[in-house]
Amino acid sequence: DARVTQTPRHKVTEMGQEVTMRCQPILGHNTVFWYRQTMMQGLELLAYFRNRAPLDDSGMPKDRFSAEMPDATLATLKIQPSEPRDSAVYFCASGFRTSGSNEQFFGPGTRLTVL
Amino acid sequence: AQKVTQAQTEISVVEKEDVTLDCVYETRDTTYYLFWYKQPPSGELVFLIRRNSFDEQNEISGRYSWNFQKSTSSFNFTITASQVVDSAVYFCALSEAASGSRLTFGEGTQLTVNP
Protein backbone atom coordinates (compact mmCIF):
# COMPACT_ATOMS: atom_id res chain seq x y z
CA ASP A 1 0.00 0.00 0.00
CA ALA A 2 1.99 2.98 -1.31
CA ARG A 3 1.67 6.11 0.80
CA VAL A 4 3.36 9.43 1.29
CA THR A 5 5.06 9.50 4.67
CA GLN A 6 5.94 12.55 6.70
CA THR A 7 8.02 13.00 9.81
CA PRO A 8 7.60 14.17 12.44
CA ARG A 9 3.84 13.99 12.81
CA HIS A 10 3.88 16.59 15.56
CA LYS A 11 6.46 19.19 16.48
CA VAL A 12 6.41 21.73 19.27
CA THR A 13 9.26 24.19 19.33
CA GLU A 14 10.16 27.60 20.60
CA MET A 15 10.37 30.73 18.54
CA GLY A 16 13.75 31.11 16.89
CA GLN A 17 14.49 27.39 16.65
CA GLU A 18 15.13 25.58 13.40
CA VAL A 19 12.49 23.14 12.22
CA THR A 20 13.00 20.46 9.59
CA MET A 21 10.12 18.47 8.17
CA ARG A 22 10.67 15.44 5.99
CA CYS A 23 8.62 13.75 3.34
CA GLN A 24 9.02 10.48 1.50
CA PRO A 25 6.99 10.56 -1.71
CA ILE A 26 5.40 7.50 -3.24
CA LEU A 27 8.03 5.52 -5.12
CA GLY A 28 7.97 6.42 -8.80
CA HIS A 29 6.22 9.74 -8.38
CA ASN A 30 8.09 12.59 -10.03
CA THR A 31 6.31 15.59 -8.52
CA VAL A 32 6.39 16.66 -4.88
CA PHE A 33 4.40 19.48 -3.30
CA TRP A 34 4.49 21.25 0.06
CA TYR A 35 1.24 22.78 1.33
CA ARG A 36 0.42 24.59 4.53
CA GLN A 37 -2.98 24.55 6.21
CA THR A 38 -4.09 27.19 8.68
CA MET A 39 -7.48 28.30 9.89
CA MET A 40 -7.01 31.75 8.45
CA GLN A 41 -5.47 30.93 5.06
CA GLY A 42 -6.79 27.46 4.42
CA LEU A 43 -4.66 25.21 2.21
CA GLU A 44 -1.95 27.03 0.31
CA LEU A 45 0.90 25.84 -1.85
CA LEU A 46 4.37 26.64 -0.60
CA ALA A 47 6.59 24.95 -3.17
CA TYR A 48 6.81 22.08 -5.58
CA PHE A 49 9.39 20.00 -7.38
CA ARG A 50 9.43 17.95 -10.52
CA ASN A 51 12.15 15.38 -11.05
CA ARG A 52 13.79 16.90 -7.96
CA ALA A 53 14.08 20.36 -9.52
CA PRO A 54 12.24 23.22 -7.82
CA LEU A 55 9.58 24.59 -10.15
CA ASP A 56 7.78 27.08 -7.98
CA ASP A 57 8.43 28.32 -4.47
CA SER A 58 6.59 31.60 -4.78
CA GLY A 59 4.29 30.70 -1.91
CA MET A 60 7.16 30.40 0.54
CA PRO A 61 8.61 33.18 2.70
CA LYS A 62 12.13 33.15 1.26
CA ASP A 63 13.87 34.67 4.21
CA ARG A 64 13.11 31.81 6.56
CA PHE A 65 11.79 28.86 4.56
CA SER A 66 13.72 26.54 2.32
CA ALA A 67 12.71 23.39 0.47
CA GLU A 68 14.98 20.78 -1.06
CA MET A 69 14.98 17.31 -2.56
CA PRO A 70 18.33 15.73 -1.78
CA ASP A 71 17.23 12.61 -3.64
CA ALA A 72 14.13 11.15 -5.22
CA THR A 73 13.00 9.56 -1.98
CA LEU A 74 13.30 12.56 0.31
CA ALA A 75 11.93 16.08 0.33
CA THR A 76 12.63 18.50 3.16
CA LEU A 77 11.07 21.74 4.30
CA LYS A 78 13.08 23.82 6.71
CA ILE A 79 12.15 26.88 8.72
CA GLN A 80 14.93 28.92 10.29
CA PRO A 81 14.21 30.79 12.48
CA SER A 82 10.69 29.67 13.28
CA GLU A 83 8.01 32.11 14.41
CA PRO A 84 4.64 31.60 16.11
CA ARG A 85 2.84 32.51 12.87
CA ASP A 86 4.41 29.43 11.27
CA SER A 87 2.18 27.24 13.44
CA ALA A 88 0.16 25.16 10.99
CA VAL A 89 -0.20 21.71 9.51
CA TYR A 90 2.31 21.13 6.72
CA PHE A 91 1.33 18.60 4.09
CA CYS A 92 3.51 16.93 1.55
CA ALA A 93 1.90 15.48 -1.56
CA SER A 94 3.28 13.52 -4.47
CA GLY A 95 2.04 12.70 -7.92
CA PHE A 96 3.18 11.52 -11.31
CA ARG A 97 2.84 14.01 -14.09
CA THR A 98 3.23 13.02 -17.70
CA SER A 99 0.72 15.29 -19.31
CA GLY A 100 -2.21 17.05 -17.81
CA SER A 101 -2.61 17.16 -14.09
CA ASN A 102 -2.79 13.95 -12.17
CA GLU A 103 -4.13 13.46 -8.71
CA GLN A 104 -1.90 14.29 -5.80
CA PHE A 105 -1.63 11.93 -2.88
CA PHE A 106 -1.18 13.61 0.45
CA GLY A 107 0.82 12.56 3.46
CA PRO A 108 -0.63 12.68 6.97
CA GLY A 109 0.86 16.10 7.64
CA THR A 110 3.19 17.55 10.26
CA ARG A 111 1.43 19.60 12.90
CA LEU A 112 3.84 22.36 13.90
CA THR A 113 3.39 24.53 16.97
CA VAL A 114 5.80 27.38 17.53
CA LEU A 115 5.59 28.87 21.01
CA ALA B 1 -5.60 33.79 -11.80
CA GLN B 2 -7.33 30.69 -10.59
CA LYS B 3 -9.81 30.72 -7.76
CA VAL B 4 -12.14 28.25 -6.10
CA THR B 5 -15.12 29.24 -4.00
CA GLN B 6 -17.02 26.98 -1.66
CA ALA B 7 -19.75 29.21 -0.35
CA GLN B 8 -21.05 26.75 2.20
CA THR B 9 -18.86 26.92 5.27
CA GLU B 10 -20.81 24.36 7.26
CA ILE B 11 -23.62 21.95 6.49
CA SER B 12 -25.42 19.79 8.99
CA VAL B 13 -27.74 16.97 7.95
CA VAL B 14 -29.37 13.95 9.49
CA GLU B 15 -28.24 10.51 8.46
CA LYS B 16 -29.77 9.21 5.21
CA GLU B 17 -30.41 12.68 3.87
CA ASP B 18 -28.91 13.65 0.53
CA VAL B 19 -26.52 16.59 0.60
CA THR B 20 -24.88 18.68 -2.14
CA LEU B 21 -21.66 20.57 -1.66
CA ASP B 22 -21.20 23.49 -4.03
CA CYS B 23 -18.00 24.48 -5.80
CA VAL B 24 -17.54 27.39 -8.19
CA TYR B 25 -14.25 28.05 -9.92
CA GLU B 26 -12.56 30.76 -11.95
CA THR B 27 -9.88 30.22 -14.51
CA ARG B 28 -8.66 31.76 -17.76
CA ASP B 29 -7.15 28.52 -18.94
CA THR B 30 -9.10 26.36 -21.39
CA THR B 31 -7.44 23.23 -20.06
CA TYR B 32 -7.84 22.64 -16.36
CA TYR B 33 -8.60 19.97 -13.82
CA LEU B 34 -11.00 19.87 -10.93
CA PHE B 35 -10.65 17.79 -7.80
CA TRP B 36 -12.47 16.94 -4.63
CA TYR B 37 -10.66 15.92 -1.45
CA LYS B 38 -12.05 14.75 1.87
CA GLN B 39 -10.42 15.65 5.18
CA PRO B 40 -11.85 13.54 8.02
CA PRO B 41 -11.29 14.49 11.67
CA SER B 42 -8.03 12.52 11.63
CA GLY B 43 -6.62 15.23 9.38
CA GLU B 44 -5.38 13.45 6.28
CA LEU B 45 -6.48 14.56 2.83
CA VAL B 46 -8.13 11.83 0.83
CA PHE B 47 -8.43 12.10 -2.94
CA LEU B 48 -11.98 11.55 -4.21
CA ILE B 49 -12.12 12.52 -7.87
CA ARG B 50 -10.37 14.32 -10.72
CA ARG B 51 -12.12 15.81 -13.74
CA ASN B 52 -10.60 17.50 -16.78
CA SER B 53 -12.19 20.47 -18.48
CA PHE B 54 -13.00 18.53 -21.63
CA ASP B 55 -15.07 15.92 -19.88
CA GLU B 56 -18.39 17.24 -18.67
CA GLN B 57 -19.90 13.85 -18.17
CA ASN B 58 -21.25 13.47 -14.67
CA GLU B 59 -19.79 10.71 -12.58
CA ILE B 60 -21.23 8.43 -9.96
CA SER B 61 -19.25 6.32 -7.53
CA GLY B 62 -21.42 4.51 -5.04
CA ARG B 63 -23.19 7.13 -2.94
CA TYR B 64 -21.05 9.91 -4.40
CA SER B 65 -21.84 11.81 -7.57
CA TRP B 66 -20.36 14.85 -9.23
CA ASN B 67 -22.02 17.39 -11.51
CA PHE B 68 -19.62 19.36 -13.70
CA GLN B 69 -21.11 22.29 -15.61
CA LYS B 70 -18.74 24.50 -17.55
CA SER B 71 -21.53 26.94 -18.38
CA THR B 72 -21.79 27.91 -14.72
CA SER B 73 -18.18 27.07 -13.78
CA SER B 74 -19.40 24.69 -11.14
CA PHE B 75 -18.33 21.26 -9.96
CA ASN B 76 -20.80 20.19 -7.31
CA PHE B 77 -20.58 17.07 -5.17
CA THR B 78 -23.59 15.14 -3.94
CA ILE B 79 -23.64 12.47 -1.26
CA THR B 80 -26.73 10.31 -1.38
CA ALA B 81 -28.09 8.70 1.79
CA SER B 82 -25.43 10.34 3.94
CA GLN B 83 -23.81 8.45 6.79
CA VAL B 84 -22.11 9.55 9.98
CA VAL B 85 -18.76 8.47 8.50
CA ASP B 86 -19.20 11.09 5.80
CA SER B 87 -18.64 13.80 8.41
CA ALA B 88 -15.53 15.66 7.29
CA VAL B 89 -14.29 18.80 5.62
CA TYR B 90 -14.55 18.58 1.86
CA PHE B 91 -12.28 20.59 -0.39
CA CYS B 92 -12.75 21.43 -4.02
CA ALA B 93 -9.55 22.24 -5.93
CA LEU B 94 -8.48 23.47 -9.34
CA SER B 95 -5.33 22.96 -11.34
CA GLU B 96 -4.62 24.80 -14.56
CA ALA B 97 -2.61 23.01 -17.21
CA ALA B 98 -0.35 26.02 -17.45
CA SER B 99 0.40 26.01 -13.73
CA GLY B 100 2.07 22.63 -13.68
CA SER B 101 -0.23 20.63 -11.42
CA ARG B 102 -0.32 23.06 -8.53
CA LEU B 103 -3.66 22.91 -6.75
CA THR B 104 -5.67 25.91 -5.66
CA PHE B 105 -8.09 24.89 -2.95
CA GLY B 106 -11.42 26.28 -1.92
CA GLU B 107 -12.06 27.18 1.69
CA GLY B 108 -13.65 23.85 2.43
CA THR B 109 -17.11 22.82 3.59
CA GLN B 110 -17.51 21.21 6.99
CA LEU B 111 -20.13 18.49 6.66
CA THR B 112 -21.64 17.06 9.82
CA VAL B 113 -23.92 14.07 9.52
CA ASN B 114 -25.91 13.47 12.67
CA PRO B 115 -27.34 10.06 13.63
Side-chain angles (χ1 to χ4, degrees):
Chain A
D1 185 23
R3 295 189 181 194
V4 176
T5 58
Q6 289 185 248
T7 57
R9 294 292 310 276
H10 302 272
K11 176 72 175 179
V12 179
T13 190
E14 292 187 348
M15 184 173 62
Q17 296 298 305
E18 177 178 301
V19 175
T20 299
M21 291 169 271
R22 293 176 175 81
C23 167
Q24 183 172 15
I26 293 173
L27 190 64
H29 281 185
N30 65 351
T31 311
V32 174
F33 304 80
W34 284 104
Y35 291 89
R36 176 170 63 183
Q37 185 176 31
T38 61
M39 289 293 292
M40 295 300 295
Q41 300 296 329
L43 275 158
E44 51 183 352
L45 178 72
L46 296 176
Y48 79 97
F49 295 78
R50 179 160 301 124
N51 299 321
R52 295 178 55 201
L55 289 190
D56 186 351
D57 61 1
S58 58
M60 221 163 55
K62 302 291 191 304
D63 56 339
R64 299 183 300 107
F65 284 59
S66 61
E68 296 179 347
M69 278 201 77
D71 61 60
T73 65
L74 176 65
T76 62
L77 179 66
K78 190 174 295 186
I79 308 174
Q80 169 62 26
S82 57
E83 297 180 0
R85 60 180 166 152
D86 301 329
S87 298
V89 179
Y90 290 81
F91 287 101
C92 174
S94 74
F96 186 78
R97 178 182 167 103
T98 51
S99 61
S101 181
N102 295 328
E103 55 264 33
Q104 296 175 24
F105 296 91
F106 282 76
T110 294
R111 182 173 295 276
L112 174 65
T113 303
V114 183
L115 303 174
Chain B
Q2 53 190 30
K3 184 180 178 182
V4 177
T5 302
Q6 294 178 254
Q8 305 149 307
T9 305
E10 295 181 26
I11 300 176
S12 183
V13 299
V14 177
E15 208 168 17
K16 296 185 184 177
E17 284 185 16
D18 298 347
V19 57
T20 295
L21 309 181
D22 297 334
C23 172
V24 174
Y25 62 91
E26 295 176 28
T27 177
R28 294 177 183 168
D29 211 338
T30 55
T31 302
Y32 54 89
Y33 303 83
L34 296 162
F35 301 79
W36 276 94
Y37 283 84
K38 173 182 180 181
Q39 188 173 41
S42 53
E44 73 268 30
L45 282 157
V46 179
F47 166 81
L48 296 179
I49 190 172
R50 175 181 70 117
R51 229 18 175 187
N52 74 57
S53 53
F54 300 108
D55 182 4
E56 283 193 76
Q57 200 167 22
N58 292 330
E59 182 157 339
I60 298 175
S61 176
R63 296 183 297 107
Y64 295 170
S65 62
W66 291 268
N67 185 341
F68 176 26
Q69 292 197 343
K70 288 178 76 170
S71 61
T72 56
S73 297
S74 64
F75 187 43
N76 296 337
F77 174 29
T78 297
I79 301 175
T80 303
S82 60
Q83 300 175 1
V84 173
V85 293
D86 295 328
S87 297
V89 181
Y90 290 86
F91 291 95
C92 181
L94 166 71
S95 173
E96 295 174 333
S99 70
S101 298
R102 57 184 300 163
L103 291 174
T104 295
F105 286 88
E107 304 89 338
T109 297
Q110 170 72 61
L111 172 65
T112 302
V113 181
N114 299 297

